[in-house]
Amino acid sequence: MRNVPSDHPRYASLILRDQLISGIQNGITSQHGLIAHGRGESFDYLLSERTLPTANQAARAAAAHMALATKPVISVNGNTAALVPTEIIALSKLASATIEVNLFHRTEKRIKAIISHLNSHGATNVKGLSTPSRIPGISHDRAKVASDGLYAADAVLVPLEDGDRVEALTNMGKTTLVIDLNPLSRSSQLATVPIIDNIARAIPNITNHFENIFHLSSQELTAITKNFDREIALDEAEQTIRDGVSNLHN
Ligand code: PTJ
């Protein structure tokens, strides 16, 4: 990014915008992804671009769910691939999680571009190109999944998701770990664990928690998942955003 010093107050936010623009130029990110990111930015601004204590607890609970899972899968779309490729791969390696590209605006060309982008950052065996299985109850292209990836998963990390698919994954009996800055979105409301945080902060945070807890017994990991209160997390995020709106008037 030219002409913006690293001490600029909006530096982190501007870097993310740059990554998305590069994502579009490289055929990774959908143009709709810019609009989706703008919506996320506005929530993040109202949260003062920080991780709430309850979002941190959610990240810890998500790490515990991933540690307990036998087939954890990280679902990657065009925004995720542009914003956190290295971080997604680090988490997938640590948690022995499969990465599967799953797109709302699906084209084979974009799936190939995302897989090769992830491969260039050190990923191997990224799924999403061959998708003979279907998630029941979804009419759009996000239903198309790999049989040994999202279809077989017991826990799925789904950043920036649409509510339909979270509901369908839940109906399949899967644990859904959703990253979404909007606490009122259907995805957040339906998730087993809603992580109301920017994906750029949430993924490294889940990884840090995973490093700290993966050695625990399954009883201790289960206790972490049970102690997380999703209603409190959703309420805190919503209230913080409402307070942020009120403060805009001051
Ligand atoms: O790459 P594709 O084709 O799969 O398309 C991806 C997008 C994101 C365009 C598609 O899934 C979409 O249209 O998503 P939505 O329905 O606009 O939902 C995006 C959600 O993610 C919204 O609730 C945003 O507030 C939230 N969001 C946006 N940017 C971030 C975010 N949440 C966390 N971190 C962000 N950086």
Side-chain angles (χ1 to χ4, degrees), residues 12-248:
S13 167
L14 294 172
I15 289 284
L16 294 183
R17 287 184 180 188
D18 261 16
Q19 285 175 256
L20 281 179
I21 289 167
S22 298
I24 288 178
Q25 289 165 344
N26 297 332
I28 292 166
T29 308
S30 138
Q31 291 186 353
H32 304 81
L34 282 185
I35 300 166
H37 185 76
R39 182 146 49 123
E41 259 195 6
S42 59
F43 288 114
D44 207 16
Y45 187 80
L46 295 168
L47 290 166
S48 304
E49 295 170 347
R50 75 199 151 99
T51 300
L52 294 175
T54 46
N56 186 44
Q57 288 159 17
R60 189 162 182 262
H65 275 292
M66 290 185 78
L68 283 166
T70 51
K71 290 183 178 171
V73 172
I74 304 174
S75 182
V76 170
N77 65 15
N79 286 45
T80 303
L83 293 175
V84 282
T86 312
E87 294 84 350
I88 285 284
I89 293 162
L91 176 58
S92 79
K93 288 188 174 160
L94 197 63
S96 303
T98 300
I99 297 177
E100 179 165 341
V101 180
N102 179 275
L103 302 181
F104 187 69
H105 307 282
R106 183 187 172 96
T107 64
E108 194 171 308
K109 193 174 169 200
R110 199 148 74 84
I111 291 184
K112 283 182 177 164
I114 292 173
I115 291 176
S116 97
H117 175 66
L118 294 174
N119 288 346
S120 74
H121 282 80
T124 50
N125 199 22
V126 176
K127 299 189 185 300
L129 203 51
S130 167
T131 54
S133 292
R134 295 285 176 276
I135 300 174
I138 300 189
S139 51
H140 54 77
D141 275 350
R142 272 197 153 163
K144 297 178 179 173
V145 288
S147 309
D148 55 350
L150 280 164
Y151 192 80
D154 52 354
V156 188
L157 179 63
V158 274
L160 284 68
E161 182 58 69
D162 61 89
D164 284 3
R165 197 167 71 113
V166 174
E167 187 170 21
L169 291 169
T170 307
N171 289 342
M172 289 175 82
K174 300 181 193 301
T175 299
T176 51
L177 316 168
V178 166
I179 301 170
D180 189 330
L181 278 158
N182 180 3
L184 296 174
S185 74
R186 283 187 67 229
S187 314
S188 299
Q189 294 285 327
L190 293 168
T192 315
V193 179
I195 306 162
I196 314 301
D197 202 3
N198 196 313
I199 189 174
R201 297 191 297 272
I203 298 288
N205 201 15
I206 296 170
T207 304
N208 282 340
H209 282 301
F210 194 97
E211 279 171 333
N212 291 330
I213 64 172
F214 78 95
H215 62 278
L216 297 178
S217 67
S218 55
Q219 284 88 346
E220 289 169 312
L221 291 169
T222 303
I224 292 173
T225 65
K226 288 203 185 315
N227 287 338
F228 170 68
D229 190 324
R230 59 188 302 290
E231 300 308 325
I232 290 178
L234 290 168
D235 285 351
E236 185 188 37
E238 182 182 344
Q239 194 51 54
T240 308
I241 288 168
R242 288 189 189 281
D243 292 346
V245 173
S246 305
N247 291 336
L248 287 177

